[in-house]
């Protein structure tokens, strides 16, 4: 195909999720002729359509509900509060539409051609696209970035029908509040969506294989987080595995056995079951075999330090490659690969990728956990400050949780920051910037923080590293 053909591009990005669309925009800013293809019918990928955005809309709406119900102490009494699930879902959809339309606007503004269809690689630099209008289009490109994201990991023997037994996608669209929601997996999805439906009145039981919740999160934080969730009425069955779930007419039966394999099984009756045991890379129908792109044992596309696969001209980013499955990680990689293809230096600092669980209180962290530092044999100091001692948290009545900073025992360099508390997801940004600039705990402690604010708890935790917290 000639270079001037409308079907030839400098760069074709497959997938318009946060990785793909950001990559396309950055490449276009750098002067490339770019197309971004997605088979979903709206850009934004999992994140905007069935992930980050809809879940945060429901978390926000139900947090407002919860605050309203408990506002009496502030002198605000609203009588009985009524919930309209249909209207709440419309609120969620408006948030999705506003965001996906925003992405279409940005792609257009940057002269990226948005193509709606499923792409299948036919040769390095060539693909066949089955367009959503039923026709097909042959496209060639100097470079291709695969950003096809991830999909739900199925649980063997359990059929997800997105009605009685659902993935996160189904749990974002229930039309009524379940009486009893059983959730398989105490990870991020299970606890965020469990919080949504619990606040709306469902009995929620979370069944987790391990003997702790949120594996990967600092154990101290996770233990306190579980305690708070329990107080909110979420039931936990730890060290248990779900061995079967059967959808019946008006309910579902869930069979649970000890994770160790020893002991009796038990059965729970639920009216909805959410399977949230992780996500796996999405590469179905992509034609990776046709061009010889290699994947690792977990099905992730293998890439080098510049996101190049083993095939020249084929790159991959986001959930479909190794690393945390997070929208902002995918975005960073999208920018980095576009800049690399434009001949610019580019880099993603995997040591400073924040994680947030948007429950109430929120959980947020960046850098190493205590367990990781112990495993790496790094000597560290701990500075901890409870929100109970923070003036703003006290006056707001949001005293659950604490800030914990881990710093190198010798150099004082901040190695990890872990927060359980209101607005933890916003508070962690300060820690990420500090770590990006290799700050010491003393740097954070000597930075003036406005009063009265929650970030003062971060400063106090940094002071606590040197045993000089002022309000504790
Ligand atoms: P995706 O967003 O998955 O996008 C990939 C796109 O590629 C999809 O739209 C798909 O249709 C398209 N595609 C696939 N194959 C083809 C093909 N052959 N041809 C054309 N198009 C194709 N992360 C956060 O950071 N914060 C959160 O709050 C958060 N909340 C989440 C809540 C839920 C319920 C879920 C499920 C996930 C959440 N995530 C969150 C994770 C986040 O959604 C992902 O990490 C992120 O979307 C990954 O971006 P991506 O660009 O790699 O892929
Ligand atoms: P997860 O990996 O966070 O948690 C899965 C949980 O299921 C783990 O605790 C695991 O031990 C448990 N588990 C696995 N098999 C099990 C079994 N058979 N029985 C019982 N428990 C079992 O995965 P989750 O929650 O599905 O989320 C998927 C991805 O989506 C995550 O990687 C996360 O990063 C991303 N996400 C991010 C959000 C955020 O940033 N706020 C929100 C939602 C999702």
């Amino acid at each position: 195909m000639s270079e001037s053909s409308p079907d030839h591009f400098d760069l074709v990005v497959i997938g318009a999720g946060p990785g793909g669309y950001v990559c396309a925009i950055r490449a276009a800013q750098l002067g490339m002729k770019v197309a971004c293809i997605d088979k979903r019918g709206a850009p934004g990928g999992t994140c905007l359509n069935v992930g980050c955005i809809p879940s945060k809309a429901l978390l926000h709406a139900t947090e407002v509900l919860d605050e309203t119900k408990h506002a009496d102490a502030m002198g605000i009494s609203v009588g009985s509060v009524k919930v309209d699930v249909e209207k709440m879902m419309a609120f969620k959809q408006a948030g999705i539409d506003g965001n996906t339309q925003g992405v279409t606007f940005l792609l257009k503004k940057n002269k990226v051609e948005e193509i709606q269809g499923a792409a299948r690689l036919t040769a390095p630099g060539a693909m066949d696209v089955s367009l959503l209008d039923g026709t097909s289009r042959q496209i060639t490109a100097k470079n291709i970035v695969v950003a096809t994201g991830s999909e739900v990991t199925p649980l063997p023997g359990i059929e997800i029908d997105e009605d009685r037994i659902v993935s996160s996608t189904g749990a974002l669209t229930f039309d009524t509040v379940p009486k009893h929601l059983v959730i398989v997996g105490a990870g991020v999805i299970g606890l965020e969506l469990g919080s949504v439906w619990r606040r709306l009145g469902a009995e929620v039981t979370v069944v987790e294989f391990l003997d702790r919740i949120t594996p990967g999160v600092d154990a101290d934080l996770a233990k306190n987080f579980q305690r708070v969730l329990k107080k909110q009425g979420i039931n936990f069955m730890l060290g248990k595995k779900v061995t079967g779930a059967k959808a019946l007419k008006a309910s579902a039966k869930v069979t649970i056995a000890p994770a160790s394999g020893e002991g009796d099984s038990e059965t729970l009756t639920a009216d909805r079951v959410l399977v949230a045991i992780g996500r796996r890379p999405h590469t179905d129908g992509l034609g990776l075999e046709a061009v010889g792109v290699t994947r690792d044992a977990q099905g992730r596309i293998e890439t080098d330090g510049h996101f190049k696969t083993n095939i020249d001209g084929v790159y991959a980013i986001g959930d479909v490659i190794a690393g945390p499955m997070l929208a902002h990680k995918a975005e960073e990689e999208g920018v980095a690969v576009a800049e690399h293809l434009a001949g610019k230096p580019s880099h993603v600092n995997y040591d400073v990728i924040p994680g947030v669980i948007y429950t109430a209180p929120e959980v947020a962290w960046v850098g190493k956990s205590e367990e990781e530092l112990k495993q790496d044999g790094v000597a560290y100091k701990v500075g901890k400050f409870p929100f109970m001692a923070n003036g703003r948290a006290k006056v707001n009545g949001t005293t659950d949780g604490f800030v914990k900073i881990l710093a190198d025992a010798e150099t004082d360099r901040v190695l990890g920051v872990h927060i359980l508390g209101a607005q933890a997801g916003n508070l962690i940004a300060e820690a990420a910037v500090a770590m990006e600039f290799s700050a010491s705990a003393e740097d954070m402690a000597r930075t003036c923080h406005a009063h009265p604010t929650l970030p003062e708890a971060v400063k106090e935790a940094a002071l606590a590293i040197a045993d000089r917290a002022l309000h504790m």
Side-chain angles (χ1 to χ4, degrees), residues 198-252:
R198 174 71 202 134
R199 288 174 200 157
L200 287 168
E203 180 190 349
V204 173
T205 305
V206 181
V207 185
E208 165 60 46
F209 186 81
L210 301 173
D211 59 3
R212 56 161 290 174
I213 67 167
T214 56
V217 173
D218 186 275
D220 180 17
L221 213 69
K223 200 174 76 200
N224 283 282
F225 180 36
Q226 190 191 344
R227 197 174 299 153
V228 178
L229 293 176
K230 238 171 139 177
K231 259 200 317 200
Q232 295 173 3
I234 295 182
N235 308 309
F236 288 95
M237 295 176 74
L238 303 185
K240 304 272 185 186
K241 62 181 174 199
V242 169
T243 51
K246 202 168 164 39
L248 307 169
K249 214 165 174 199
S251 64

Short mmCIF file of all heavy atoms in Angstrom, two decimals, residues 198-252:
data_model
loop_
_atom_site.label_atom_id
_atom_site.label_comp_id
_atom_site.label_asym_id
_atom_site.label_seq_id
_atom_site.Cartn_x
_atom_site.Cartn_y
_atom_site.Cartn_z
N ARG A 198 -23.60 -2.91 49.38
CA ARG A 198 -23.82 -2.91 50.84
C ARG A 198 -24.49 -1.58 51.25
O ARG A 198 -25.44 -1.56 52.01
CB ARG A 198 -22.47 -3.10 51.55
CG ARG A 198 -22.53 -2.96 53.06
CD ARG A 198 -23.25 -4.14 53.70
NE ARG A 198 -23.75 -3.80 55.01
CZ ARG A 198 -24.96 -4.08 55.45
NH1 ARG A 198 -25.83 -4.74 54.68
NH2 ARG A 198 -25.35 -3.74 56.65
N ARG A 199 -23.96 -0.47 50.72
CA ARG A 199 -24.53 0.83 51.07
C ARG A 199 -25.98 0.95 50.60
O ARG A 199 -26.78 1.69 51.17
CB ARG A 199 -23.72 1.96 50.43
CG ARG A 199 -22.37 2.16 51.08
CD ARG A 199 -21.62 3.21 50.26
NE ARG A 199 -20.19 3.12 50.49
CZ ARG A 199 -19.29 3.57 49.64
NH1 ARG A 199 -19.66 4.13 48.50
NH2 ARG A 199 -18.01 3.47 49.91
N LEU A 200 -26.29 0.21 49.53
CA LEU A 200 -27.68 0.25 49.01
C LEU A 200 -28.58 -0.72 49.76
O LEU A 200 -29.76 -0.84 49.45
CB LEU A 200 -27.68 -0.04 47.50
CG LEU A 200 -27.13 1.11 46.64
CD1 LEU A 200 -26.88 0.66 45.21
CD2 LEU A 200 -28.09 2.30 46.66
N GLY A 201 -28.00 -1.48 50.70
CA GLY A 201 -28.83 -2.31 51.57
C GLY A 201 -28.66 -3.81 51.41
O GLY A 201 -29.31 -4.58 52.13
N ALA A 202 -27.79 -4.26 50.50
CA ALA A 202 -27.62 -5.71 50.31
C ALA A 202 -26.82 -6.31 51.48
O ALA A 202 -25.97 -5.64 52.08
CB ALA A 202 -26.87 -5.99 49.02
N GLU A 203 -27.13 -7.58 51.79
CA GLU A 203 -26.22 -8.34 52.67
C GLU A 203 -25.08 -8.79 51.75
O GLU A 203 -25.34 -9.30 50.64
CB GLU A 203 -26.97 -9.56 53.24
CG GLU A 203 -26.10 -10.40 54.14
CD GLU A 203 -26.76 -11.73 54.52
OE1 GLU A 203 -27.96 -11.93 54.26
OE2 GLU A 203 -26.02 -12.59 55.05
N VAL A 204 -23.86 -8.56 52.16
CA VAL A 204 -22.73 -8.87 51.28
C VAL A 204 -21.79 -9.86 51.99
O VAL A 204 -21.36 -9.62 53.11
CB VAL A 204 -21.96 -7.58 50.90
CG1 VAL A 204 -20.68 -7.91 50.13
CG2 VAL A 204 -22.84 -6.65 50.07
N THR A 205 -21.50 -10.97 51.31
CA THR A 205 -20.55 -11.95 51.84
C THR A 205 -19.41 -12.08 50.84
O THR A 205 -19.64 -12.38 49.66
CB THR A 205 -21.21 -13.33 52.03
OG1 THR A 205 -22.36 -13.16 52.86
CG2 THR A 205 -20.24 -14.32 52.68
N VAL A 206 -18.19 -11.85 51.30
CA VAL A 206 -17.02 -11.94 50.42
C VAL A 206 -16.25 -13.21 50.76
O VAL A 206 -15.84 -13.41 51.91
CB VAL A 206 -16.10 -10.71 50.60
CG1 VAL A 206 -14.91 -10.79 49.66
CG2 VAL A 206 -16.87 -9.42 50.35
N VAL A 207 -16.08 -14.07 49.76
CA VAL A 207 -15.35 -15.32 49.96
C VAL A 207 -13.97 -15.16 49.33
O VAL A 207 -13.85 -14.84 48.15
CB VAL A 207 -16.09 -16.50 49.28
CG1 VAL A 207 -15.39 -17.82 49.60
CG2 VAL A 207 -17.55 -16.54 49.70
N GLU A 208 -12.93 -15.36 50.14
CA GLU A 208 -11.56 -15.13 49.65
C GLU A 208 -10.71 -16.37 49.90
O GLU A 208 -10.72 -16.95 50.98
CB GLU A 208 -10.96 -13.90 50.36
CG GLU A 208 -9.46 -13.70 50.25
CD GLU A 208 -8.93 -13.56 48.82
OE1 GLU A 208 -9.52 -12.80 48.03
OE2 GLU A 208 -7.92 -14.21 48.51
N PHE A 209 -9.94 -16.73 48.88
CA PHE A 209 -9.09 -17.91 48.94
C PHE A 209 -7.99 -17.78 50.00
O PHE A 209 -7.73 -18.71 50.77
CB PHE A 209 -8.46 -18.10 47.55
CG PHE A 209 -7.66 -19.35 47.41
CD1 PHE A 209 -8.28 -20.57 47.15
CD2 PHE A 209 -6.28 -19.33 47.54
CE1 PHE A 209 -7.54 -21.73 47.03
CE2 PHE A 209 -5.54 -20.49 47.44
CZ PHE A 209 -6.17 -21.69 47.18
N LEU A 210 -7.38 -16.60 50.06
CA LEU A 210 -6.27 -16.40 50.99
C LEU A 210 -6.79 -16.12 52.40
O LEU A 210 -7.99 -15.92 52.60
CB LEU A 210 -5.39 -15.23 50.53
CG LEU A 210 -4.79 -15.38 49.13
CD1 LEU A 210 -4.09 -14.09 48.71
CD2 LEU A 210 -3.81 -16.54 49.10
N ASP A 211 -5.87 -16.02 53.37
CA ASP A 211 -6.31 -15.72 54.73
C ASP A 211 -6.28 -14.22 55.01
O ASP A 211 -6.24 -13.78 56.16
CB ASP A 211 -5.47 -16.49 55.75
CG ASP A 211 -4.00 -16.14 55.63
OD1 ASP A 211 -3.67 -15.26 54.79
OD2 ASP A 211 -3.18 -16.73 56.34
N ARG A 212 -6.25 -13.42 53.97
CA ARG A 212 -6.24 -11.96 54.10
C ARG A 212 -6.95 -11.36 52.88
O ARG A 212 -7.13 -12.03 51.87
CB ARG A 212 -4.80 -11.42 54.16
CG ARG A 212 -3.97 -11.83 52.95
CD ARG A 212 -2.76 -10.97 52.76
NE ARG A 212 -3.14 -9.63 52.34
CZ ARG A 212 -2.28 -8.61 52.20
NH1 ARG A 212 -1.01 -8.79 52.48
NH2 ARG A 212 -2.69 -7.43 51.79
N ILE A 213 -7.33 -10.08 53.00
CA ILE A 213 -7.94 -9.42 51.85
C ILE A 213 -6.86 -8.65 51.08
O ILE A 213 -5.73 -8.50 51.56
CB ILE A 213 -9.10 -8.48 52.28
CG1 ILE A 213 -8.58 -7.27 53.08
CG2 ILE A 213 -10.15 -9.24 53.09
CD1 ILE A 213 -9.61 -6.17 53.26
N THR A 214 -7.20 -8.18 49.90
CA THR A 214 -6.34 -7.34 49.04
C THR A 214 -4.85 -7.74 49.04
O THR A 214 -4.00 -6.99 49.51
CB THR A 214 -6.45 -5.85 49.44
OG1 THR A 214 -6.13 -5.72 50.83
CG2 THR A 214 -7.84 -5.31 49.17
N PRO A 215 -4.56 -8.94 48.50
CA PRO A 215 -3.14 -9.34 48.43
C PRO A 215 -2.34 -8.28 47.66
O PRO A 215 -2.84 -7.70 46.69
CB PRO A 215 -3.18 -10.67 47.66
CG PRO A 215 -4.56 -10.80 47.09
CD PRO A 215 -5.45 -9.94 47.90
N GLY A 216 -1.13 -8.03 48.12
CA GLY A 216 -0.29 -7.02 47.45
C GLY A 216 -0.30 -5.70 48.22
O GLY A 216 0.68 -4.97 48.23
N VAL A 217 -1.42 -5.42 48.92
CA VAL A 217 -1.50 -4.20 49.72
C VAL A 217 -0.77 -4.47 51.04
O VAL A 217 -0.87 -5.58 51.59
CB VAL A 217 -2.98 -3.83 50.00
CG1 VAL A 217 -3.10 -2.67 50.98
CG2 VAL A 217 -3.69 -3.49 48.68
N ASP A 218 -0.02 -3.49 51.56
CA ASP A 218 0.68 -3.59 52.84
C ASP A 218 -0.23 -4.28 53.88
O ASP A 218 -1.38 -3.85 54.08
CB ASP A 218 1.05 -2.18 53.29
CG ASP A 218 1.90 -2.18 54.54
OD1 ASP A 218 1.31 -2.23 55.64
OD2 ASP A 218 3.14 -2.14 54.42
N ALA A 219 0.27 -5.33 54.52
CA ALA A 219 -0.58 -6.19 55.37
C ALA A 219 -1.21 -5.43 56.54
O ALA A 219 -2.36 -5.69 56.91
CB ALA A 219 0.24 -7.37 55.88
N ASP A 220 -0.46 -4.48 57.10
CA ASP A 220 -0.94 -3.67 58.21
C ASP A 220 -2.18 -2.87 57.76
O ASP A 220 -3.21 -2.82 58.45
CB ASP A 220 0.24 -2.73 58.56
CG ASP A 220 -0.04 -1.78 59.69
OD1 ASP A 220 -0.99 -2.03 60.42
OD2 ASP A 220 0.73 -0.80 59.83
N LEU A 221 -2.07 -2.29 56.57
CA LEU A 221 -3.16 -1.49 56.00
C LEU A 221 -4.37 -2.40 55.73
O LEU A 221 -5.51 -2.08 56.09
CB LEU A 221 -2.67 -0.89 54.69
CG LEU A 221 -3.20 0.48 54.29
CD1 LEU A 221 -2.63 1.52 55.24
CD2 LEU A 221 -2.75 0.83 52.87
N ALA A 222 -4.08 -3.57 55.12
CA ALA A 222 -5.16 -4.49 54.73
C ALA A 222 -5.93 -4.97 55.97
O ALA A 222 -7.16 -5.08 55.94
CB ALA A 222 -4.58 -5.68 53.97
N LYS A 223 -5.20 -5.23 57.05
CA LYS A 223 -5.85 -5.74 58.28
C LYS A 223 -6.82 -4.68 58.83
O LYS A 223 -7.96 -4.96 59.18
CB LYS A 223 -4.76 -6.06 59.32
CG LYS A 223 -5.22 -7.00 60.40
CD LYS A 223 -4.09 -7.41 61.31
CE LYS A 223 -3.77 -6.27 62.24
NZ LYS A 223 -2.51 -6.23 62.88
N ASN A 224 -6.33 -3.44 58.89
CA ASN A 224 -7.18 -2.35 59.41
C ASN A 224 -8.34 -2.05 58.46
O ASN A 224 -9.44 -1.71 58.89
CB ASN A 224 -6.33 -1.10 59.63
CG ASN A 224 -5.51 -1.23 60.89
OD1 ASN A 224 -6.02 -1.07 62.00
ND2 ASN A 224 -4.25 -1.60 60.76
N PHE A 225 -8.08 -2.17 57.16
CA PHE A 225 -9.12 -1.95 56.14
C PHE A 225 -10.24 -2.98 56.34
O PHE A 225 -11.42 -2.63 56.34
CB PHE A 225 -8.45 -2.10 54.76
CG PHE A 225 -9.36 -1.90 53.58
CD1 PHE A 225 -10.38 -0.95 53.61
CD2 PHE A 225 -9.18 -2.64 52.42
CE1 PHE A 225 -11.20 -0.75 52.49
CE2 PHE A 225 -9.99 -2.45 51.32
CZ PHE A 225 -11.00 -1.51 51.36
N GLN A 226 -9.86 -4.22 56.53
CA GLN A 226 -10.87 -5.27 56.72
C GLN A 226 -11.74 -4.99 57.96
O GLN A 226 -12.95 -5.17 57.95
CB GLN A 226 -10.21 -6.64 56.84
CG GLN A 226 -11.25 -7.76 56.79
CD GLN A 226 -10.69 -9.11 57.16
OE1 GLN A 226 -9.48 -9.31 57.18
NE2 GLN A 226 -11.56 -10.06 57.44
N ARG A 227 -11.07 -4.51 59.01
CA ARG A 227 -11.78 -4.20 60.24
C ARG A 227 -12.86 -3.13 59.98
O ARG A 227 -13.99 -3.24 60.43
CB ARG A 227 -10.77 -3.70 61.29
CG ARG A 227 -11.30 -3.74 62.70
CD ARG A 227 -10.23 -3.38 63.71
NE ARG A 227 -9.08 -4.26 63.70
CZ ARG A 227 -7.85 -3.91 64.07
NH1 ARG A 227 -7.59 -2.68 64.45
NH2 ARG A 227 -6.87 -4.78 64.07
N VAL A 228 -12.49 -2.11 59.22
CA VAL A 228 -13.45 -1.03 58.92
C VAL A 228 -14.61 -1.57 58.07
O VAL A 228 -15.77 -1.25 58.31
CB VAL A 228 -12.73 0.14 58.19
CG1 VAL A 228 -13.72 1.23 57.84
CG2 VAL A 228 -11.62 0.70 59.04
N LEU A 229 -14.27 -2.39 57.07
CA LEU A 229 -15.33 -2.92 56.19
C LEU A 229 -16.28 -3.82 56.97
O LEU A 229 -17.49 -3.84 56.73
CB LEU A 229 -14.71 -3.70 55.02
CG LEU A 229 -13.93 -2.87 54.01
CD1 LEU A 229 -13.30 -3.77 52.96
CD2 LEU A 229 -14.82 -1.83 53.32
N LYS A 230 -15.73 -4.55 57.92
CA LYS A 230 -16.55 -5.43 58.77
C LYS A 230 -17.54 -4.60 59.57
O LYS A 230 -18.71 -4.95 59.69
CB LYS A 230 -15.64 -6.21 59.72
CG LYS A 230 -15.77 -7.72 59.57
CD LYS A 230 -14.72 -8.40 60.37
CE LYS A 230 -15.27 -9.62 61.08
NZ LYS A 230 -14.22 -10.33 61.80
N LYS A 231 -17.03 -3.48 60.09
CA LYS A 231 -17.90 -2.55 60.86
C LYS A 231 -19.04 -2.04 59.99
O LYS A 231 -20.12 -1.71 60.47
CB LYS A 231 -17.08 -1.36 61.36
CG LYS A 231 -16.70 -1.47 62.81
CD LYS A 231 -16.31 -0.16 63.48
CE LYS A 231 -15.43 0.77 62.74
NZ LYS A 231 -14.69 1.77 63.41
N GLN A 232 -18.76 -1.94 58.67
CA GLN A 232 -19.80 -1.45 57.75
C GLN A 232 -20.80 -2.55 57.39
O GLN A 232 -21.72 -2.34 56.61
CB GLN A 232 -19.14 -0.89 56.47
CG GLN A 232 -18.31 0.34 56.75
CD GLN A 232 -17.52 0.79 55.52
OE1 GLN A 232 -17.62 0.24 54.43
NE2 GLN A 232 -16.71 1.81 55.71
N GLY A 233 -20.54 -3.76 57.89
CA GLY A 233 -21.50 -4.85 57.69
C GLY A 233 -21.14 -5.82 56.58
O GLY A 233 -21.95 -6.67 56.21
N ILE A 234 -19.92 -5.74 56.05
CA ILE A 234 -19.51 -6.72 55.02
C ILE A 234 -18.97 -7.96 55.74
O ILE A 234 -18.14 -7.86 56.63
CB ILE A 234 -18.46 -6.11 54.06
CG1 ILE A 234 -19.10 -4.95 53.28
CG2 ILE A 234 -17.89 -7.16 53.12
CD1 ILE A 234 -18.21 -4.28 52.26
N ASN A 235 -19.51 -9.13 55.33
CA ASN A 235 -19.06 -10.39 55.95
C ASN A 235 -17.90 -10.96 55.15
O ASN A 235 -17.93 -10.94 53.91
CB ASN A 235 -20.18 -11.44 55.95
CG ASN A 235 -21.45 -10.89 56.54
OD1 ASN A 235 -21.43 -10.33 57.63
ND2 ASN A 235 -22.56 -11.03 55.82
N PHE A 236 -16.92 -11.50 55.85
CA PHE A 236 -15.79 -12.11 55.15
C PHE A 236 -15.67 -13.59 55.49
O PHE A 236 -15.80 -13.98 56.65
CB PHE A 236 -14.48 -11.41 55.55
CG PHE A 236 -14.36 -10.03 54.97
CD1 PHE A 236 -14.74 -8.92 55.72
CD2 PHE A 236 -13.91 -9.84 53.68
CE1 PHE A 236 -14.66 -7.64 55.18
CE2 PHE A 236 -13.82 -8.57 53.13
CZ PHE A 236 -14.20 -7.46 53.89
N MET A 237 -15.42 -14.39 54.47
CA MET A 237 -15.07 -15.80 54.67
C MET A 237 -13.69 -15.97 54.06
O MET A 237 -13.55 -16.11 52.84
CB MET A 237 -16.10 -16.70 53.98
CG MET A 237 -17.50 -16.60 54.58
SD MET A 237 -18.72 -17.58 53.67
CE MET A 237 -18.27 -19.24 54.19
N LEU A 238 -12.66 -15.92 54.90
CA LEU A 238 -11.29 -16.01 54.40
C LEU A 238 -10.81 -17.45 54.43
O LEU A 238 -11.33 -18.28 55.18
CB LEU A 238 -10.36 -15.12 55.24
CG LEU A 238 -10.73 -13.63 55.31
CD1 LEU A 238 -9.66 -12.86 56.09
CD2 LEU A 238 -10.91 -13.03 53.93
N GLY A 239 -9.80 -17.74 53.60
CA GLY A 239 -9.27 -19.09 53.55
C GLY A 239 -10.28 -20.08 52.98
O GLY A 239 -10.27 -21.26 53.34
N LYS A 240 -11.14 -19.59 52.11
CA LYS A 240 -12.19 -20.44 51.53
C LYS A 240 -12.16 -20.31 50.01
O LYS A 240 -11.89 -19.22 49.49
CB LYS A 240 -13.57 -19.99 52.01
CG LYS A 240 -13.74 -19.94 53.50
CD LYS A 240 -14.20 -21.26 54.03
CE LYS A 240 -14.49 -21.17 55.52
NZ LYS A 240 -14.80 -22.45 56.11
N LYS A 241 -12.48 -21.42 49.34
CA LYS A 241 -12.58 -21.32 47.89
C LYS A 241 -13.98 -21.71 47.44
O LYS A 241 -14.61 -22.59 48.02
CB LYS A 241 -11.52 -22.18 47.21
CG LYS A 241 -11.61 -23.65 47.49
CD LYS A 241 -10.50 -24.40 46.78
CE LYS A 241 -10.55 -25.87 47.22
NZ LYS A 241 -9.35 -26.61 46.99
N VAL A 242 -14.44 -21.02 46.41
CA VAL A 242 -15.74 -21.35 45.84
C VAL A 242 -15.51 -22.47 44.84
O VAL A 242 -14.71 -22.34 43.91
CB VAL A 242 -16.35 -20.10 45.16
CG1 VAL A 242 -17.56 -20.48 44.33
CG2 VAL A 242 -16.73 -19.08 46.23
N THR A 243 -16.19 -23.59 45.07
CA THR A 243 -15.96 -24.74 44.18
C THR A 243 -17.08 -24.89 43.15
O THR A 243 -16.95 -25.66 42.20
CB THR A 243 -15.84 -26.04 45.01
OG1 THR A 243 -16.98 -26.09 45.89
CG2 THR A 243 -14.57 -26.06 45.82
N GLY A 244 -18.15 -24.16 43.34
CA GLY A 244 -19.23 -24.22 42.36
C GLY A 244 -20.27 -23.15 42.63
O GLY A 244 -20.40 -22.68 43.77
N ALA A 245 -20.96 -22.74 41.59
CA ALA A 245 -22.09 -21.82 41.75
C ALA A 245 -23.10 -22.15 40.67
O ALA A 245 -22.74 -22.35 39.51
CB ALA A 245 -21.62 -20.38 41.62
N LYS A 246 -24.34 -22.29 41.10
CA LYS A 246 -25.37 -22.70 40.14
C LYS A 246 -26.49 -21.67 40.16
O LYS A 246 -27.02 -21.32 41.22
CB LYS A 246 -25.90 -24.07 40.57
CG LYS A 246 -26.55 -24.83 39.44
CD LYS A 246 -26.79 -26.28 39.84
CE LYS A 246 -27.77 -26.99 38.93
NZ LYS A 246 -27.68 -26.69 37.52
N ALA A 247 -26.83 -21.18 38.96
CA ALA A 247 -27.93 -20.22 38.88
C ALA A 247 -29.25 -20.97 38.87
O ALA A 247 -29.44 -21.90 38.08
CB ALA A 247 -27.78 -19.39 37.62
N LEU A 248 -30.14 -20.60 39.79
CA LEU A 248 -31.48 -21.18 39.80
C LEU A 248 -32.43 -20.09 39.30
O LEU A 248 -31.99 -19.03 38.88
CB LEU A 248 -31.84 -21.65 41.21
CG LEU A 248 -30.81 -22.60 41.86
CD1 LEU A 248 -31.10 -22.80 43.33
CD2 LEU A 248 -30.79 -23.93 41.12
N LYS A 249 -33.74 -20.37 39.37
CA LYS A 249 -34.69 -19.40 38.81
C LYS A 249 -34.63 -18.03 39.52
O LYS A 249 -34.49 -17.00 38.86
CB LYS A 249 -36.10 -19.98 38.91
CG LYS A 249 -36.94 -19.56 37.75
CD LYS A 249 -38.17 -20.40 37.65
CE LYS A 249 -39.08 -19.85 36.56
NZ LYS A 249 -40.41 -20.33 36.71
N ALA A 250 -34.70 -18.08 40.85
CA ALA A 250 -34.75 -16.80 41.55
C ALA A 250 -33.57 -16.62 42.51
O ALA A 250 -33.56 -15.69 43.31
CB ALA A 250 -36.05 -16.71 42.33
N SER A 251 -32.61 -17.52 42.45
CA SER A 251 -31.46 -17.43 43.37
C SER A 251 -30.27 -18.16 42.76
O SER A 251 -30.33 -18.64 41.63
CB SER A 251 -31.83 -18.06 44.72
OG SER A 251 -32.08 -19.43 44.55
N ALA A 252 -29.22 -18.25 43.54
CA ALA A 252 -28.04 -19.04 43.12
C ALA A 252 -27.50 -19.76 44.35
O ALA A 252 -27.62 -19.26 45.47
CB ALA A 252 -26.98 -18.12 42.55
#
